[in-house]
Amino acid sequence: MKRRDTLKALSVASFGMAVGPVEAAVPEPPEPKPAVKLLPGRQKFEAERDLKLLAAEKFFTPAELQTVTILSDIIIPADAKSGSASQAGVPAFIEFMMRDQPRNQTPMRGGLRWLNAKCVSRYGNPFAKCTKAQQIDMVEQIAYPAKKVPADLTQGVAFFTMMRNFVLGGFYTSKMGIEDLGYVGNTPNKWDGVPDDVLKQYGLSYDEPKK
Amino acid sequence: MDLFQLKKAPTVYDAIVVGSGAGGGMAAYMLTKAGAKVLLLEAGGYFDPADPKYMTQLKWPYESPRRGASTTRAGGDFDAAWGGWEIEGEPYSSKPGADFHWFRSRMLGGRTNHWGRISMRFGPDDFRRGSLTGIGDDWPITYDDMKPFYDRVDKLIGVFGSVENMHNEPDGHFLPPPKPRLHELMLKKAATGIGIPVIPSRLSILTQPINKERGQCFYCRQCNRGCSAYADFSSSSVLCIPAMKTGNLTLQNNAMVREVLTDSKTGLATGVSYVDTISMQEVSVYAKTVILGASTCESARLLLNSKSARFPNGLANSSGVVGKYLNDSTGASRSGFVPALMDRKRYNEDGVGGMHVFTPWWLDNKKLDFPRGYHIEYGGGMGMPGYGFGGGIEALNGKIPGRDGKMKAAGGYGAGLKDDVRRFYGAYVSMSGRGEPIPLESNYCEIDPNTVDKYGIPTLRFHYKWSDNEVKQAKHMQDTFEQIIEAMGGMPMGNKPGKEQNYGLAAPGRIIHEVGTVRMGNDPAKSALNKYQQAHDVKNLFVVDAAPFVTQGDKNVTWTILAASMRTSEYLIDQVKKKNI
């Protein structure tokens, strides 16, 4: 018996679970429900696809995920009003999008590779192992797409732009991000027009000008 | 072994209706209410927006693992359209140089589950553009023929709007329109100031209850998800489900119709054969009348595929016109950023599912270099964030001074970026032109000689090119959009599409307003159907979707589909009473 199997047997026994003919006659418990609740109204192929994707192997290596997390929090840090991107679950959303839309994979994986290679040559360490100051120094070189940058940095600019878009999209569709924005809809209500103080602020009114 | 089996149903129905969208749903509703026994065939599954099993209404973006991205459905994860531009196992093709996009919904209610609920009548001129302008053709009917049916559709289904007394934008029996949102008030002020009218939109959404079966709008702006209160028009909730309640309707879901069956001696339709998409069984069903509401292109496909010794060109096609004159709305759009709307006060401005105001066509084409008009639809406001929110901010935040009044570099990161997103939220407007094209015989769909779908049914091949008329119209749209955005103190976003991009004119099919492939007319040599949408060649065969339409105006056609299908249904009932069918 392998050690792992011994442990399994021990754990079953230690909870006092007898495995005998009486229990064997008891019907199997129902299939465990998927941990993630699928959206209602899924077509069959969508439900199957979602369950498969959610159960699929992670796309990011632990090191890649660490870098994605650091970048996410540089792009959306915590401030007085709300938390950071990673606190809102953005890295997990990006991870899912890699599986959901595989066309993202090469630009993302390659971009992270590019970033690490550049950091090793500049600072002697991959991005995640650089000091905070070095990380910011690197990000400053690639965060402004309208600025002219040296020819060896243009791919980094494109990568950071993609990253910014993913992080903004992930953060502001999270509960935290929606609250930060102040979106207060998506609830039954009665629309009766723009509030009076807002009409006043913009010098507008619902009264039709006399024809 | 998987034997190819043919099952024949014993029942002979009064009518078989193919397709459960606006046209098919209305025919099924009218006929079952009149006591007829009807079999309704729908290629897709059952759908009821009030059943929690299907409900995406009031869900949050984070309830989708992809935050509503359009990976598996074109309108995103929350959109109530099962199907889309591509359906696995159901291909279509385009001739080289042609480019047609075909959106199909496979579900009870079809595309009415996710549509924009824009419900405009055609005006008197829209039925007779040919004689008014010398280009294009007239309908065999006039506004006066249709008016009583538009009136009844207004009352049966409900539409909000305002009485405007404009000649070619006839008023209906309107429910009160919702008040404009803030950006819509600004748009109205700006556009009106440069001579472009802006009036309340006309949408089939219940701002007041109209009966006990349907609730009132609760202003979530999510009509495209299907309404659990039945407060907007979907054929599923407003026509098909009530038709089932009469006890006269047999609904067969997952029935992909292969062809219309005919009697070789009498030449009459006897029923249809379909493939059960779940069991893959071939089934034949029979009726005294066959009514096609499968959608403009599917109905043409069905007729062209219903070939027999007696009808070698396909059914109802002795004229050879079936498939021809396919035409979609023109479409072009532009968005703008409105600095005055930065740092807005937050409040719930969801409103109804769509615009509260729009611009009807306001100019005289005789004074312009293109022959037909367009209307403008408006978007904007503090909407619920969805997938891609904030994307492309680098194109904007380098152009707007920061709180300190200084310009900063585009893009960026950190607390400043977060602040930009808050400041810019709800400060965008968008506008889309939807215009009338000239239907051309050279724009058509036909049966692809080489291809079948997974059911073995020959598929469609499209030929479609815009003419100069539509390109010039799109150019005019772009100029107008820019004028309106500038008049409201906004900055047009992105680059203005020029000649080399056809002025942003959307590819044919993209606006999902295709009509015209089984046109009606008084001359059987030039049309497939008479003025009651009855086949010239087969008197117990009718078409009730938008395939019969000679033109589409610049009005979204759903209201006209409903009115025309109601009219055809009453004609059929009358003909049966007179024993003509």
Side-chain angles (χ1 to χ4, degrees), chain A residues 50 100 140 181 186 197 206, chain B residues 66 71 180 222 345-346 413:
Chain A
D50 278 3
D100 189 46
E140 276 288 320
L181 271 185
N186 196 31
D197 60 326
Y206 283 115
Chain B
R66 61 184 61 77
T71 314
Q222 296 167 20
K345 181 182 172 178
R346 307 308 203 233
Y413 60 94

Side-chain angles (χ1 to χ4, degrees), chain A residues 41-42 46 50 75 77 79 82-83 100-101 140 143 164 170 173 180-181 183 186 189 191 197 206 208, chain B residues 53 55 58 66-67 71-73 77 82 179-180 188 218-219 222 345-346 350 392 412-414 418 422:
Chain A
R42 294 309 88 192
E46 290 176 309
D50 278 3
I75 292 166
D79 65 1
S82 65
D100 189 46
Q101 298 182 354
E140 276 288 320
R164 184 193 301 108
T173 52
D180 178 315
L181 271 185
Y183 171 72
N186 196 31
N189 72 104
W191 166 257
D197 60 326
Y206 283 115
E208 286 289 319
Chain B
K53 187 159 83 175
M55 246 180 81
L58 299 181
R66 61 184 61 77
R67 309 286 170 88
T71 314
T72 62
R73 34 179 110 179
D77 246 2
W82 295 346
K179 290 179 183 170
K188 183 177 173 176
F218 53 78
Y219 304 98
Q222 296 167 20
K345 181 182 172 178
R346 307 308 203 233
D350 283 347
Y413 60 94
K418 225 173 159 178
R422 289 175 196 138

Side-chain angles (χ1 to χ4, degrees), chain A residues 74-102:
Chain A
I74 287 172
I75 292 166
I76 295 284
D79 65 1
K81 194 164 183 188
S82 65
S84 71
S86 67
Q87 286 167 342
V90 169
F93 159 70
I94 298 175
E95 160 67 43
F96 181 82
M97 291 314 297
M98 296 301 118
R99 285 178 257 164
D100 189 46
Q101 298 182 354

Side-chain angles (χ1 to χ4, degrees), chain B residues 121 255 298 339 359-360 377 455 479 499 506 554:
Chain B
R121 298 174 176 214
E298 286 290 9
T359 291
E377 303 173 4
Y455 310 111
D479 293 341
K499 193 170 187 296
D554 59 68

